[in-house]
C-alpha cells in the first residue's frame, strides 16, 4: 500500500509556457500532500503544503503565483509551473501523508522538468 | 530557520566495510525519519524514530536518535552494492506537519 504516482515523469517545454504536474495517491486518501524541488546533487526543498479543499501553504521564497497548487480531491494534487524559465528546470517530487496521525510521507517518482 | 546538516557529504567505501552518516539539527525535533534515494530515483522511507535515545535495527542498518532529539545516525554494517544511494535524514517539527530534509550523504561502493 501507500503508492503515489506522478505524471508526467519527464517534460521538456519552451520558455514562457506552463506545465502541469499531477500527483496521485493510488491506494489511500491523502488529506495532505507536499511538493518538493530537488536540484542536481542537492537535497529536497519543500515548496508548499497542499491540503485538500483549501489553499496551499507556501514556503518562504516560493512564488505562489508562479507555482500554482490545486488539491481538489483526496487523491489528487496538481502543481502548475506558470511561464516557466530555464532556472525552473529541476526535479519536482510530491509526497502524501496517509493519515493525520502519521508523520511518514510517501513519495511519488518525481517529474523532471527541463525548460529550454 | 531550522537547518538539518549531514556529514559526510560523500562516502566511498569498499564493499564489506561499514558506513555511518550523521545528522544534526539546529532545533529539537519531534521525530527523525530516514530516506534512501537511489541514483535517478525518488526518496524511499526507511524508518522513523520518535523517542529520545531510541535505537532501531533493520537487518544491517542501525538507526539512533540522540538523547536531546537533535541528532541522529545511520550505520550500515558490511555494505553491499545494493546500498548505493543518497541517504537523507528528515526532521519533523513540533506543531506542524512539515519535514526538513538534511543535506544528504551520498554513498558509493567500490566492488
Amino acid at each position: 500500500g501507500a503508492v503515489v504516482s506522478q505524471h508526467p515523469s519527464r517534460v521538456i517545454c519552451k520558455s514562457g509556457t506552463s506545465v502541469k504536474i499531477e500527483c496521485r495517491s493510488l491506494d489511500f486518501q491523502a488529506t495532505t500532500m507536499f511538493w518538493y524541488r530537488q536540484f542536481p546533487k542537492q537535497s529536497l526543498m519543500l515548496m508548499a503544503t497542499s491540503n485538500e479543499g483549501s489553499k496551499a501553504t507556501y514556503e518562504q521564497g516560493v512564488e505562489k503565483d508562479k507555482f500554482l497548487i490545486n488539491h481538489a480531491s483526496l487523491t489528487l494534487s496538481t502543481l502548475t509551473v506558470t511561464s516557466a524559465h530555464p532556472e525552473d528546470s529541476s526535479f519536482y517530487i510530491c509526497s502524501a501523508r496517509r493519515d493525520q496521525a502519521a508523520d511518514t510521507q510517501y513519495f511519488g517518482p518525481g517529474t523532471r522538468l527541463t525548460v529550454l | 530557520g531550522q537547518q538539518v546538516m549531514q556529514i559526510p557529504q560523500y562516502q566511498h567505501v569498499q564493499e564489506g566495510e561499514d558506513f555511518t552518516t550523521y545528522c544534526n539539527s539546529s532545533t529539537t525535533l519531534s521525530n527523525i525519519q530516514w530516506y534512501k534515494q537511489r541514483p535517478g530515483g525518488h526518496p524511499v522511507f526507511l524508518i522513523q524514530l520518535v523517542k529520545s535515545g531510541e535505537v532501531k535495527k533493520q537487518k544491517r542498518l542501525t538507526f539512533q536518535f540522540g538523547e536531546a532529539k537533535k541528532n541522529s545516525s545511520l550505520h550500515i554494517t558490511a555494505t553491499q552494492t545494493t546500498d548505493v544511494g543518497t541517504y537523507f535524514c528528515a526532521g519533523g517539527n513540533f506543531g506542524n506537519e512539515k519535514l526538513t530534509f538534511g543535506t544528504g550523504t551520498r554513498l558509493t561502493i567500490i566492488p
Side-chain angles (χ1 to χ4, degrees):
Chain A
V3 177
V4 177
S5 71
Q6 269 184 255
H7 178 80
S9 58
R10 292 179 181 270
V11 57
I12 301 173
C13 69
K14 293 182 179 180
S15 185
T17 60
S18 295
V19 174
K20 179 186 281 189
I21 302 169
E22 292 185 349
C23 177
R24 293 181 185 273
S25 55
L26 298 184
D27 54 357
F28 65 99
Q29 293 184 331
T31 54
T32 306
M33 289 184 171
F34 303 87
W35 286 97
Y36 295 86
R37 181 167 51 184
Q38 185 179 35
F39 292 107
K41 299 183 180 180
Q42 293 189 21
S43 187
L44 284 77
M45 298 301 296
L46 180 65
M47 299 175 66
T49 302
S50 169
N51 290 296
E52 186 265 338
S54 63
K55 290 184 179 180
T57 304
Y58 290 82
E59 294 302 297
Q60 193 171 12
V62 178
E63 300 174 57
K64 61 180 182 181
D65 294 330
K66 181 170 182 63
F67 299 99
L68 301 178
I69 292 173
N70 184 279
H71 194 158
S73 78
L74 286 171
T75 59
L76 173 64
S77 177
T78 60
L79 167 68
T80 301
V81 183
T82 62
S83 187
H85 291 284
E87 57 265 31
D88 298 323
S89 299
S90 186
F91 192 45
Y92 291 87
I93 312 175
C94 72
S95 70
R97 285 203 320 173
R98 186 159 55 180
D99 55 63
Q100 296 283 21
D103 298 313
T104 306
Q105 296 181 21
Y106 296 92
F107 284 81
T111 297
R112 191 163 301 281
L113 170 64
T114 303
V115 184
L116 302 176
Chain B
Q2 180 188 51
Q3 289 188 322
V4 181
M5 305 297 292
Q6 281 181 254
I7 55 169
Q9 189 176 4
Y10 301 96
Q11 185 80 62
H12 311 286
V13 300
Q14 288 275 353
E15 187 175 8
E17 291 183 341
D18 293 355
F19 158 76
T20 304
T21 172
Y22 299 92
C23 174
N24 292 286
S25 170
S26 59
T27 60
T28 303
L29 302 169
S30 61
N31 70 92
I32 191 87
Q33 300 177 33
W34 284 91
Y35 292 81
K36 177 183 177 181
Q37 185 175 23
R38 292 182 183 274
H42 62 280
V44 174
F45 174 78
L46 295 177
I47 209 160
Q48 179 187 37
L49 304 171
V50 179
K51 299 177 183 176
S52 169
E54 189 171 11
V55 177
K56 286 187 177 180
K57 291 192 175 185
Q58 287 180 350
K59 298 183 180 178
R60 294 179 294 105
L61 278 61
T62 302
F63 304 84
Q64 281 190 304
F65 199 10
E67 293 289 342
K69 301 182 76 172
K70 294 180 71 174
N71 56 71
S72 181
S73 65
L74 158 59
H75 179 82
I76 303 178
T77 304
T79 54
Q80 300 175 359
T81 54
T82 53
D83 295 326
V84 164
T86 301
Y87 292 85
F88 291 100
C89 63
N93 301 280
F94 293 101
N96 68 62
E97 55 202 347
K98 298 189 293 186
L99 288 177
T100 301
F101 275 78
T103 46
T105 296
R106 176 173 292 191
L107 173 64
T108 56
I109 307 289
I110 305 166

